[in-house]
PDB file of all heavy atoms in Angstrom:
ATOM      1  N   PRO A   1       0.826  -1.210   0.000  1.00 91.00           N
ATOM      2  CA  PRO A   1       0.000   0.000   0.000  1.00 91.00           C
ATOM      3  C   PRO A   1       0.863   1.265   0.000  1.00 91.00           C
ATOM      4  O   PRO A   1       1.894   1.315   0.652  1.00 91.00           O
ATOM      5  CB  PRO A   1      -0.789  -0.091   1.313  1.00 91.00           C
ATOM      6  CG  PRO A   1      -0.599  -1.471   1.826  1.00 91.00           C
ATOM      7  CD  PRO A   1       0.639  -2.017   1.203  1.00 91.00           C
ATOM      8  N   ILE A   2       0.424   2.255  -0.752  1.00 91.00           N
ATOM      9  CA  ILE A   2       1.066   3.572  -0.751  1.00 91.00           C
ATOM     10  C   ILE A   2      -0.027   4.575  -0.439  1.00 91.00           C
ATOM     11  O   ILE A   2      -1.065   4.588  -1.099  1.00 91.00           O
ATOM     12  CB  ILE A   2       1.735   3.875  -2.097  1.00 91.00           C
ATOM     13  CG1 ILE A   2       2.843   2.848  -2.360  1.00 91.00           C
ATOM     14  CG2 ILE A   2       2.288   5.292  -2.116  1.00 91.00           C
ATOM     15  CD1 ILE A   2       3.567   3.022  -3.668  1.00 91.00           C
ATOM     16  N   LEU A   3       0.187   5.377   0.601  1.00 92.00           N
ATOM     17  CA  LEU A   3      -0.853   6.292   1.036  1.00 92.00           C
ATOM     18  C   LEU A   3      -0.278   7.564   1.623  1.00 92.00           C
ATOM     19  O   LEU A   3       0.907   7.626   1.944  1.00 92.00           O
ATOM     20  CB  LEU A   3      -1.768   5.607   2.046  1.00 92.00           C
ATOM     21  CG  LEU A   3      -1.147   5.170   3.380  1.00 92.00           C
ATOM     22  CD1 LEU A   3      -2.223   5.162   4.440  1.00 92.00           C
ATOM     23  CD2 LEU A   3      -0.548   3.788   3.270  1.00 92.00           C
ATOM     24  N   GLU A   4      -1.130   8.551   1.758  1.00 89.00           N
ATOM     25  CA  GLU A   4      -0.762   9.811   2.407  1.00 89.00           C
ATOM     26  C   GLU A   4      -0.840   9.610   3.918  1.00 89.00           C
ATOM     27  O   GLU A   4      -1.721   8.893   4.411  1.00 89.00           O
ATOM     28  CB  GLU A   4      -1.727  10.925   1.997  1.00 89.00           C
ATOM     29  CG  GLU A   4      -1.682  11.305   0.539  1.00 89.00           C
ATOM     30  CD  GLU A   4      -0.481  12.157   0.177  1.00 89.00           C
ATOM     31  OE1 GLU A   4       0.013  12.908   1.043  1.00 89.00           O
ATOM     32  OE2 GLU A   4      -0.033  12.061  -0.984  1.00 89.00           O
ATOM     33  N   ALA A   5       0.044  10.259   4.653  1.00 85.00           N
ATOM     34  CA  ALA A   5       0.000  10.193   6.112  1.00 85.00           C
ATOM     35  C   ALA A   5      -1.316  10.776   6.608  1.00 85.00           C
ATOM     36  O   ALA A   5      -1.782  11.792   6.106  1.00 85.00           O
ATOM     37  CB  ALA A   5       1.176  10.956   6.713  1.00 85.00           C
ATOM     38  N   SER A   6      -1.916  10.106   7.582  1.00 77.00           N
ATOM     39  CA  SER A   6      -3.231  10.502   8.081  1.00 77.00           C
ATOM     40  C   SER A   6      -3.168  11.431   9.273  1.00 77.00           C
ATOM     41  O   SER A   6      -4.191  11.779   9.831  1.00 77.00           O
ATOM     42  CB  SER A   6      -4.007   9.254   8.501  1.00 77.00           C
ATOM     43  OG  SER A   6      -4.116   8.367   7.443  1.00 77.00           O
ATOM     44  N   GLY A   7      -2.008  11.798   9.682  1.00 75.00           N
ATOM     45  CA  GLY A   7      -1.892  12.615  10.880  1.00 75.00           C
ATOM     46  C   GLY A   7      -1.438  11.773  12.054  1.00 75.00           C
ATOM     47  O   GLY A   7      -0.432  12.042  12.651  1.00 75.00           O
ATOM     48  N   SER A   8      -2.169  10.708  12.350  1.00 85.00           N
ATOM     49  CA  SER A   8      -1.761   9.865  13.472  1.00 85.00           C
ATOM     50  C   SER A   8      -1.196   8.541  12.962  1.00 85.00           C
ATOM     51  O   SER A   8      -1.634   8.003  11.936  1.00 85.00           O
ATOM     52  CB  SER A   8      -2.945   9.597  14.410  1.00 85.00           C
ATOM     53  OG  SER A   8      -3.698   8.495  14.002  1.00 85.00           O
ATOM     54  N   LEU A   9      -0.221   8.043  13.680  1.00 90.00           N
ATOM     55  CA  LEU A   9       0.407   6.773  13.348  1.00 90.00           C
ATOM     56  C   LEU A   9      -0.613   5.643  13.416  1.00 90.00           C
ATOM     57  O   LEU A   9      -0.650   4.780  12.529  1.00 90.00           O
ATOM     58  CB  LEU A   9       1.580   6.511  14.298  1.00 90.00           C
ATOM     59  CG  LEU A   9       2.288   5.169  14.152  1.00 90.00           C
ATOM     60  CD1 LEU A   9       2.840   4.989  12.742  1.00 90.00           C
ATOM     61  CD2 LEU A   9       3.408   5.067  15.176  1.00 90.00           C
ATOM     62  N   ILE A  10      -1.453   5.649  14.432  1.00 91.00           N
ATOM     63  CA  ILE A  10      -2.452   4.587  14.598  1.00 91.00           C
ATOM     64  C   ILE A  10      -3.404   4.561  13.404  1.00 91.00           C
ATOM     65  O   ILE A  10      -3.661   3.505  12.815  1.00 91.00           O
ATOM     66  CB  ILE A  10      -3.218   4.756  15.928  1.00 91.00           C
ATOM     67  CG1 ILE A  10      -2.272   4.450  17.085  1.00 91.00           C
ATOM     68  CG2 ILE A  10      -4.446   3.871  15.970  1.00 91.00           C
ATOM     69  CD1 ILE A  10      -2.840   4.709  18.453  1.00 91.00           C
ATOM     70  N   LYS A  11      -3.897   5.719  13.020  1.00 92.00           N
ATOM     71  CA  LYS A  11      -4.820   5.796  11.887  1.00 92.00           C
ATOM     72  C   LYS A  11      -4.143   5.328  10.597  1.00 92.00           C
ATOM     73  O   LYS A  11      -4.737   4.631   9.781  1.00 92.00           O
ATOM     74  CB  LYS A  11      -5.338   7.230  11.744  1.00 92.00           C
ATOM     75  CG  LYS A  11      -6.437   7.391  10.734  1.00 92.00           C
ATOM     76  CD  LYS A  11      -6.989   8.808  10.755  1.00 92.00           C
ATOM     77  CE  LYS A  11      -8.080   8.973   9.716  1.00 92.00           C
ATOM     78  NZ  LYS A  11      -8.546  10.351   9.635  1.00 92.00           N
ATOM     79  N   THR A  12      -2.880   5.696  10.411  1.00 92.00           N
ATOM     80  CA  THR A  12      -2.139   5.286   9.218  1.00 92.00           C
ATOM     81  C   THR A  12      -1.933   3.775   9.194  1.00 92.00           C
ATOM     82  O   THR A  12      -2.047   3.146   8.137  1.00 92.00           O
ATOM     83  CB  THR A  12      -0.789   6.026   9.141  1.00 92.00           C
ATOM     84  OG1 THR A  12      -1.027   7.437   9.175  1.00 92.00           O
ATOM     85  CG2 THR A  12      -0.043   5.672   7.869  1.00 92.00           C
ATOM     86  N   LEU A  13      -1.657   3.173  10.349  1.00 93.00           N
ATOM     87  CA  LEU A  13      -1.517   1.708  10.416  1.00 93.00           C
ATOM     88  C   LEU A  13      -2.809   1.017   9.990  1.00 93.00           C
ATOM     89  O   LEU A  13      -2.784   0.032   9.253  1.00 93.00           O
ATOM     90  CB  LEU A  13      -1.121   1.266  11.830  1.00 93.00           C
ATOM     91  CG  LEU A  13       0.342   1.413  12.195  1.00 93.00           C
ATOM     92  CD1 LEU A  13       0.532   1.306  13.701  1.00 93.00           C
ATOM     93  CD2 LEU A  13       1.186   0.376  11.473  1.00 93.00           C
ATOM     94  N   VAL A  14      -3.934   1.538  10.432  1.00 94.00           N
ATOM     95  CA  VAL A  14      -5.232   0.941  10.087  1.00 94.00           C
ATOM     96  C   VAL A  14      -5.536   1.172   8.609  1.00 94.00           C
ATOM     97  O   VAL A  14      -5.935   0.239   7.900  1.00 94.00           O
ATOM     98  CB  VAL A  14      -6.357   1.493  10.992  1.00 94.00           C
ATOM     99  CG1 VAL A  14      -7.711   0.993  10.534  1.00 94.00           C
ATOM    100  CG2 VAL A  14      -6.105   1.089  12.451  1.00 94.00           C
ATOM    101  N   GLU A  15      -5.342   2.401   8.112  1.00 93.00           N
ATOM    102  CA  GLU A  15      -5.638   2.715   6.710  1.00 93.00           C
ATOM    103  C   GLU A  15      -4.768   1.918   5.740  1.00 93.00           C
ATOM    104  O   GLU A  15      -5.181   1.626   4.627  1.00 93.00           O
ATOM    105  CB  GLU A  15      -5.475   4.207   6.447  1.00 93.00           C
ATOM    106  CG  GLU A  15      -6.597   5.028   7.044  1.00 93.00           C
ATOM    107  CD  GLU A  15      -6.429   6.522   6.809  1.00 93.00           C
ATOM    108  OE1 GLU A  15      -5.426   6.935   6.175  1.00 93.00           O
ATOM    109  OE2 GLU A  15      -7.302   7.269   7.265  1.00 93.00           O
ATOM    110  N   SER A  16      -3.571   1.555   6.171  1.00 94.00           N
ATOM    111  CA  SER A  16      -2.669   0.791   5.311  1.00 94.00           C
ATOM    112  C   SER A  16      -2.896  -0.720   5.427  1.00 94.00           C
ATOM    113  O   SER A  16      -2.224  -1.497   4.765  1.00 94.00           O
ATOM    114  CB  SER A  16      -1.217   1.105   5.674  1.00 94.00           C
ATOM    115  OG  SER A  16      -0.942   0.655   6.988  1.00 94.00           O
ATOM    116  N   ASN A  17      -3.840  -1.115   6.284  1.00 94.00           N
ATOM    117  CA  ASN A  17      -4.143  -2.527   6.555  1.00 94.00           C
ATOM    118  C   ASN A  17      -2.998  -3.263   7.243  1.00 94.00           C
ATOM    119  O   ASN A  17      -2.931  -4.488   7.198  1.00 94.00           O
ATOM    120  CB  ASN A  17      -4.559  -3.272   5.281  1.00 94.00           C
ATOM    121  CG  ASN A  17      -5.887  -2.787   4.764  1.00 94.00           C
ATOM    122  OD1 ASN A  17      -6.797  -2.526   5.527  1.00 94.00           O
ATOM    123  ND2 ASN A  17      -5.987  -2.643   3.461  1.00 94.00           N
ATOM    124  N   LEU A  18      -2.098  -2.520   7.885  1.00 95.00           N
ATOM    125  CA  LEU A  18      -1.070  -3.152   8.705  1.00 95.00           C
ATOM    126  C   LEU A  18      -1.614  -3.489  10.088  1.00 95.00           C
ATOM    127  O   LEU A  18      -1.000  -4.239  10.837  1.00 95.00           O
ATOM    128  CB  LEU A  18       0.162  -2.254   8.812  1.00 95.00           C
ATOM    129  CG  LEU A  18       0.914  -2.000   7.502  1.00 95.00           C
ATOM    130  CD1 LEU A  18       2.113  -1.094   7.740  1.00 95.00           C
ATOM    131  CD2 LEU A  18       1.336  -3.296   6.846  1.00 95.00           C
ATOM    132  N   ALA A  19      -2.769  -2.938  10.408  1.00 95.00           N
ATOM    133  CA  ALA A  19      -3.504  -3.266  11.635  1.00 95.00           C
ATOM    134  C   ALA A  19      -4.986  -3.223  11.281  1.00 95.00           C
ATOM    135  O   ALA A  19      -5.412  -2.422  10.449  1.00 95.00           O
ATOM    136  CB  ALA A  19      -3.186  -2.267  12.743  1.00 95.00           C
ATOM    137  N   SER A  20      -5.752  -4.091  11.926  1.00 96.00           N
ATOM    138  CA  SER A  20      -7.177  -4.162  11.593  1.00 96.00           C
ATOM    139  C   SER A  20      -8.033  -3.192  12.409  1.00 96.00           C
ATOM    140  O   SER A  20      -9.184  -2.950  12.064  1.00 96.00           O
ATOM    141  CB  SER A  20      -7.683  -5.596  11.783  1.00 96.00           C
ATOM    142  OG  SER A  20      -7.510  -5.992  13.124  1.00 96.00           O
ATOM    143  N   SER A  21      -7.476  -2.643  13.494  1.00 96.00           N
ATOM    144  CA  SER A  21      -8.228  -1.719  14.340  1.00 96.00           C
ATOM    145  C   SER A  21      -7.256  -0.801  15.082  1.00 96.00           C
ATOM    146  O   SER A  21      -6.056  -1.069  15.130  1.00 96.00           O
ATOM    147  CB  SER A  21      -9.070  -2.497  15.357  1.00 96.00           C
ATOM    148  OG  SER A  21      -8.221  -3.178  16.267  1.00 96.00           O
ATOM    149  N   ASN A  22      -7.799   0.250  15.674  1.00 93.00           N
ATOM    150  CA  ASN A  22      -6.965   1.158  16.473  1.00 93.00           C
ATOM    151  C   ASN A  22      -6.319   0.431  17.642  1.00 93.00           C
ATOM    152  O   ASN A  22      -5.152   0.657  17.957  1.00 93.00           O
ATOM    153  CB  ASN A  22      -7.801   2.334  16.993  1.00 93.00           C
ATOM    154  CG  ASN A  22      -8.217   3.280  15.887  1.00 93.00           C
ATOM    155  OD1 ASN A  22      -7.761   3.178  14.755  1.00 93.00           O
ATOM    156  ND2 ASN A  22      -9.100   4.208  16.217  1.00 93.00           N
ATOM    157  N   SER A  23      -7.082  -0.462  18.296  1.00 95.00           N
ATOM    158  CA  SER A  23      -6.521  -1.172  19.448  1.00 95.00           C
ATOM    159  C   SER A  23      -5.416  -2.137  19.010  1.00 95.00           C
ATOM    160  O   SER A  23      -4.405  -2.277  19.700  1.00 95.00           O
ATOM    161  CB  SER A  23      -7.617  -1.913  20.221  1.00 95.00           C
ATOM    162  OG  SER A  23      -8.269  -2.858  19.410  1.00 95.00           O
ATOM    163  N   GLU A  24      -5.588  -2.779  17.852  1.00 96.00           N
ATOM    164  CA  GLU A  24      -4.529  -3.663  17.362  1.00 96.00           C
ATOM    165  C   GLU A  24      -3.286  -2.840  17.004  1.00 96.00           C
ATOM    166  O   GLU A  24      -2.160  -3.248  17.308  1.00 96.00           O
ATOM    167  CB  GLU A  24      -5.001  -4.459  16.145  1.00 96.00           C
ATOM    168  CG  GLU A  24      -3.973  -5.479  15.687  1.00 96.00           C
ATOM    169  CD  GLU A  24      -4.447  -6.340  14.534  1.00 96.00           C
ATOM    170  OE1 GLU A  24      -4.807  -5.784  13.475  1.00 96.00           O
ATOM    171  OE2 GLU A  24      -4.446  -7.575  14.707  1.00 96.00           O
ATOM    172  N   ALA A  25      -3.477  -1.685  16.385  1.00 93.00           N
ATOM    173  CA  ALA A  25      -2.353  -0.813  16.051  1.00 93.00           C
ATOM    174  C   ALA A  25      -1.604  -0.387  17.318  1.00 93.00           C
ATOM    175  O   ALA A  25      -0.369  -0.422  17.361  1.00 93.00           O
ATOM    176  CB  ALA A  25      -2.850   0.411  15.293  1.00 93.00           C
ATOM    177  N   THR A  26      -2.344  -0.016  18.350  1.00 92.00           N
ATOM    178  CA  THR A  26      -1.739   0.372  19.622  1.00 92.00           C
ATOM    179  C   THR A  26      -0.943  -0.783  20.224  1.00 92.00           C
ATOM    180  O   THR A  26       0.166  -0.592  20.728  1.00 92.00           O
ATOM    181  CB  THR A  26      -2.826   0.856  20.610  1.00 92.00           C
ATOM    182  OG1 THR A  26      -3.551   1.933  19.995  1.00 92.00           O
ATOM    183  CG2 THR A  26      -2.224   1.323  21.923  1.00 92.00           C
ATOM    184  N   ARG A  27      -1.501  -1.986  20.141  1.00 94.00           N
ATOM    185  CA  ARG A  27      -0.816  -3.174  20.665  1.00 94.00           C
ATOM    186  C   ARG A  27       0.471  -3.438  19.886  1.00 94.00           C
ATOM    187  O   ARG A  27       1.528  -3.707  20.473  1.00 94.00           O
ATOM    188  CB  ARG A  27      -1.740  -4.395  20.615  1.00 94.00           C
ATOM    189  CG  ARG A  27      -1.126  -5.646  21.236  1.00 94.00           C
ATOM    190  CD  ARG A  27      -2.131  -6.790  21.390  1.00 94.00           C
ATOM    191  NE  ARG A  27      -2.925  -7.054  20.205  1.00 94.00           N
ATOM    192  CZ  ARG A  27      -2.548  -7.846  19.191  1.00 94.00           C
ATOM    193  NH1 ARG A  27      -1.379  -8.433  19.218  1.00 94.00           N
ATOM    194  NH2 ARG A  27      -3.349  -8.036  18.166  1.00 94.00           N
ATOM    195  N   PHE A  28       0.427  -3.356  18.562  1.00 94.00           N
ATOM    196  CA  PHE A  28       1.632  -3.567  17.751  1.00 94.00           C
ATOM    197  C   PHE A  28       2.725  -2.577  18.131  1.00 94.00           C
ATOM    198  O   PHE A  28       3.898  -2.930  18.239  1.00 94.00           O
ATOM    199  CB  PHE A  28       1.325  -3.435  16.254  1.00 94.00           C
ATOM    200  CG  PHE A  28       0.534  -4.578  15.665  1.00 94.00           C
ATOM    201  CD1 PHE A  28      -0.328  -4.344  14.606  1.00 94.00           C
ATOM    202  CD2 PHE A  28       0.655  -5.871  16.140  1.00 94.00           C
ATOM    203  CE1 PHE A  28      -1.049  -5.381  14.033  1.00 94.00           C
ATOM    204  CE2 PHE A  28      -0.069  -6.923  15.579  1.00 94.00           C
ATOM    205  CZ  PHE A  28      -0.918  -6.668  14.521  1.00 94.00           C
ATOM    206  N   ILE A  29       2.330  -1.319  18.340  1.00 92.00           N
ATOM    207  CA  ILE A  29       3.299  -0.291  18.713  1.00 92.00           C
ATOM    208  C   ILE A  29       3.902  -0.601  20.084  1.00 92.00           C
ATOM    209  O   ILE A  29       5.115  -0.560  20.268  1.00 92.00           O
ATOM    210  CB  ILE A  29       2.648   1.109  18.697  1.00 92.00           C
ATOM    211  CG1 ILE A  29       2.298   1.498  17.263  1.00 92.00           C
ATOM    212  CG2 ILE A  29       3.565   2.147  19.343  1.00 92.00           C
ATOM    213  CD1 ILE A  29       1.386   2.705  17.137  1.00 92.00           C
ATOM    214  N   SER A  30       3.057  -0.960  21.055  1.00 91.00           N
ATOM    215  CA  SER A  30       3.564  -1.240  22.411  1.00 91.00           C
ATOM    216  C   SER A  30       4.433  -2.496  22.451  1.00 91.00           C
ATOM    217  O   SER A  30       5.331  -2.597  23.276  1.00 91.00           O
ATOM    218  CB  SER A  30       2.403  -1.351  23.409  1.00 91.00           C
ATOM    219  OG  SER A  30       1.631  -2.496  23.149  1.00 91.00           O
ATOM    220  N   GLU A  31       4.187  -3.432  21.542  1.00 91.00           N
ATOM    221  CA  GLU A  31       5.006  -4.653  21.475  1.00 91.00           C
ATOM    222  C   GLU A  31       6.326  -4.429  20.740  1.00 91.00           C
ATOM    223  O   GLU A  31       7.179  -5.312  20.691  1.00 91.00           O
ATOM    224  CB  GLU A  31       4.232  -5.774  20.772  1.00 91.00           C
ATOM    225  CG  GLU A  31       3.060  -6.292  21.563  1.00 91.00           C
ATOM    226  CD  GLU A  31       2.184  -7.262  20.763  1.00 91.00           C
ATOM    227  OE1 GLU A  31       2.381  -7.381  19.522  1.00 91.00           O
ATOM    228  OE2 GLU A  31       1.311  -7.884  21.374  1.00 91.00           O
ATOM    229  N   GLY A  32       6.481  -3.264  20.122  1.00 90.00           N
ATOM    230  CA  GLY A  32       7.716  -2.957  19.410  1.00 90.00           C
ATOM    231  C   GLY A  32       7.804  -3.562  18.024  1.00 90.00           C
ATOM    232  O   GLY A  32       8.904  -3.734  17.496  1.00 90.00           O
ATOM    233  N   SER A  33       6.667  -3.885  17.433  1.00 93.00           N
ATOM    234  CA  SER A  33       6.710  -4.520  16.107  1.00 93.00           C
ATOM    235  C   SER A  33       6.468  -3.544  14.961  1.00 93.00           C
ATOM    236  O   SER A  33       6.291  -3.962  13.824  1.00 93.00           O
ATOM    237  CB  SER A  33       5.706  -5.672  16.042  1.00 93.00           C
ATOM    238  OG  SER A  33       4.390  -5.205  16.205  1.00 93.00           O
TER     239      SER A  33
END
C-alpha cells in the first residue's frame, strides 16, 4: 500500500491494513513490532 500520512500513526496503520483496528495498532506499537 502507498498512502498519504493521516496525521496519526495509529490511523495510518489501520488505513494501510497493517492493523485491523486502532486497538490492534496500539498493541503492535507497544510490542515494538
Side-chain angles (χ1 to χ4, degrees):
I2 298 179
L3 64 153
E4 295 284 331
S6 303
S8 87
L9 176 58
I10 290 174
K11 188 174 179 185
T12 304
L13 280 165
V14 174
E15 287 179 0
S16 65
N17 292 320
L18 295 180
S20 60
S21 66
N22 290 351
S23 60
E24 185 177 58
T26 304
R27 184 171 48 86
F28 288 149
I29 292 167
S30 68
E31 291 172 350
S33 63

